Amino acid sequence: MATLLLVVIYAAFIGLGIPDSLFGAAWPAISNEFSAPVSWANFVTLIISAGTVVSSLLSAKIISRFGTAAVTAGSTLMTAAALFGFSLSTNMLWLCLFSVPLGFGAGCIDTALNNYVALHYKASHMNFLHCFYGIGVSLSPFFMSMALSKSSWHEGYGFVSAIQLGIAVITVVTLPVWKKAHPDAKHGDGGSRVTLGFLSLLRDRKVRMACCVFLGSCGLEYTCGVWGSTYLVRSRGESADAAALLIMFYYMGIAFSRFLSGLLSGRVSGLWIIKAGYVTVLAAVVLLMLPLPPQAAAFALFLIGLGNGPVFPNMLHLTPKNFGEEASQAVIGVQMASAYVGIMAAPAAFGLIAQNTDVSLFPYFTAVFYAIMVLSFMGMSKAESTLVGKNE
């Protein structure tokens, strides 16, 4: 049963990734149809991200009340309904309204599944699961491009919502499998666990440092993804089409590193993998600062993806060990919220810097978020958590 449940969780992770890259692929067609300024995309993305942050912070209480199985099924159904709502939208107001359940559902399922896997499965599965998330992220732009070539973005969202609904049906049908897979588990079934408030969590220095690791890592990841191609074009003189091709290797670095981390996790510790990743990213940031050809800068971005990719899944998997199993759900909730803050804030901050100064500051901006990530990790490693045994 544990293996069957793992297959369901893998499918759910694909569903988790599907909505994340869909809007960006559809936005040019949406903005043309609605005669909306390009910048209005921020309304939708910020609402989705804000919903994800809020639901991540509330996830511990929600999961404690309903259990991981029910939250996974309900959240997947919610995202499927939201995507179907997108397909029917005829103006920006409807897109913004359906962005609320899309963000809220994504935050709950992300936190619930990450904690469940951290508690009940090996670190290799955590890394492989995040590779499957990458499959979902990669598939949805492909589906949207096919829809745009044959009909419209409405059909693209409709098709993807049908896929998401299929995954939701699987999670609903397999609800009894959760208890059979881990019958003695206290987590994931609505059982007892420590429920900690946001302020109580932030009073713990080790939690604060861990949150900063996630903020720095995800801020670095998304800044490179959003602005890496622009940097190669405007600062390194690469052509737009070549830069788009080269940035693909950055994402390949992330996917490959998580797959490799999954293979290595049975032989070396998650801490070792994280530290090796930090050394790789440091070399990449230094290489990015050197006045070398654009191909060298693209290789540096690949190395950033290679080194930073395993940080997120391995940090999540270490959460029960770092903070205790009873508090892990609450801690993962604030860690996920911190990650989404980094995802929202870092690319936007560099956008303002690039607009008002120069895009050539990109390497130094990545160095700042690298420093946040590494210094916070060092602080977390030295701090002692006082969460275990606390309750509110």
Side-chain angles (χ1 to χ4, degrees), residues 120 178-187 189:
H120 300 300
W178 293 76
K179 289 185 178 180
K180 293 180 180 179
H182 301 102
D184 57 343
K186 294 186 292 183
H187 305 273
D189 56 359

Side-chain angles (χ1 to χ4, degrees), residues 107-389:
C108 279
I109 190 175
D110 205 357
T111 305
L113 290 180
N114 278 308
N115 184 63
Y116 194 88
V117 173
L119 288 171
H120 300 300
Y121 293 97
K122 297 178 181 179
S124 58
H125 290 300
M126 181 69 83
N127 285 279
F128 291 145
L129 282 169
H130 283 271
C131 279
F132 270 66
Y133 167 84
I135 292 174
V137 171
S138 303
L139 283 176
S140 53
F142 171 75
F143 292 143
M144 182 56 70
S145 67
M146 294 292 290
L148 290 173
S149 65
K150 296 181 179 180
S151 52
S152 74
W153 64 271
H154 296 277
E155 282 68 22
Y157 265 103
F159 180 73
V160 169
S161 70
I163 295 176
Q164 192 80 335
L165 180 61
I167 295 173
V169 170
I170 292 173
T171 62
V172 171
V173 171
T174 56
L175 280 173
V177 175
W178 293 76
K179 289 185 178 180
K180 293 180 180 179
H182 301 102
D184 57 343
K186 294 186 292 183
H187 305 273
D189 56 359
S192 62
R193 57 157 60 85
V194 175
T195 303
L196 295 161
F198 178 64
L199 294 178
S200 295
L201 290 167
L202 291 187
R203 280 196 289 267
D204 188 286
R205 184 173 184 272
K206 191 165 187 173
V207 172
R208 294 198 303 271
M209 293 295 100
C211 286
C212 288
V213 173
F214 279 88
L215 189 151
S217 176
C218 291
L220 176 63
E221 177 182 336
Y222 277 77
T223 299
C224 290
V226 172
W227 291 103
S229 182
T230 302
Y231 171 71
L232 291 175
V233 172
R234 297 192 178 183
S235 182
R236 294 303 184 97
E238 190 60 86
S239 63
D241 56 338
L245 180 63
L246 290 173
I247 205 67
M248 178 185 68
F249 289 98
Y250 167 70
Y251 290 104
M252 290 176 61
I254 295 175
F256 176 72
S257 67
R258 288 176 176 171
F259 178 77
L260 183 62
S261 177
L263 295 178
L264 292 175
S265 60
R267 302 179 181 180
V268 297
S269 69
L271 283 174
W272 186 92
I273 293 172
I274 292 171
K275 291 176 182 178
Y278 288 159
V279 173
T280 304
V281 177
L282 176 60
V285 171
V286 172
L287 181 62
L288 202 59
M289 292 179 177
L290 299 177
L292 298 173
Q295 291 78 9
F299 180 66
L301 288 170
F302 168 79
L303 289 179
I304 290 177
L306 188 69
N308 192 35
V311 173
F312 189 91
N314 282 284
M315 281 289 295
L316 286 174
H317 195 268
L318 288 169
T319 301
K321 179 180 178 180
N322 288 332
F323 301 100
E325 292 188 2
E326 294 295 328
S328 63
Q329 185 69 78
V331 175
I332 283 184
V334 295
Q335 287 178 159
M336 295 301 298
S338 301
Y340 283 107
V341 169
I343 289 169
M344 282 194 299
F350 184 73
L352 292 175
I353 291 172
Q355 180 176 330
N356 293 291
T357 55
D358 195 335
V359 75
S360 62
L361 294 176
F362 176 79
Y364 305 96
F365 189 84
T366 61
V368 169
F369 275 81
Y370 172 76
I372 292 172
M373 176 173 62
V374 173
L375 293 176
S376 300
F377 179 80
M378 294 170 62
M380 186 196 76
S381 301
K382 295 177 181 179
E384 294 291 334
S385 178
T386 59
L387 290 183
V388 179

Side-chain angles (χ1 to χ4, degrees), residues 38-51:
V38 174
S39 61
W40 280 18
N42 290 333
F43 293 130
V44 174
T45 57
L46 286 175
I47 291 171
I48 293 173
S49 297

Side-chain angles (χ1 to χ4, degrees), residues 57-103:
L57 293 174
L58 297 176
S59 61
K61 293 183 179 180
I62 296 173
I63 296 164
S64 180
R65 173 67 178 85
F66 298 103
T68 301
V71 169
T72 299
S75 296
T76 309
L77 282 169
M78 187 184 299
T79 57
L83 290 171
F84 183 68
F86 266 61
S87 72
L88 300 178
S89 296
T90 54
N91 55 54
M92 283 297 300
L93 177 60
W94 285 110
L95 288 181
C96 291
L97 289 175
F98 285 116
S99 296
V100 176
L102 186 60

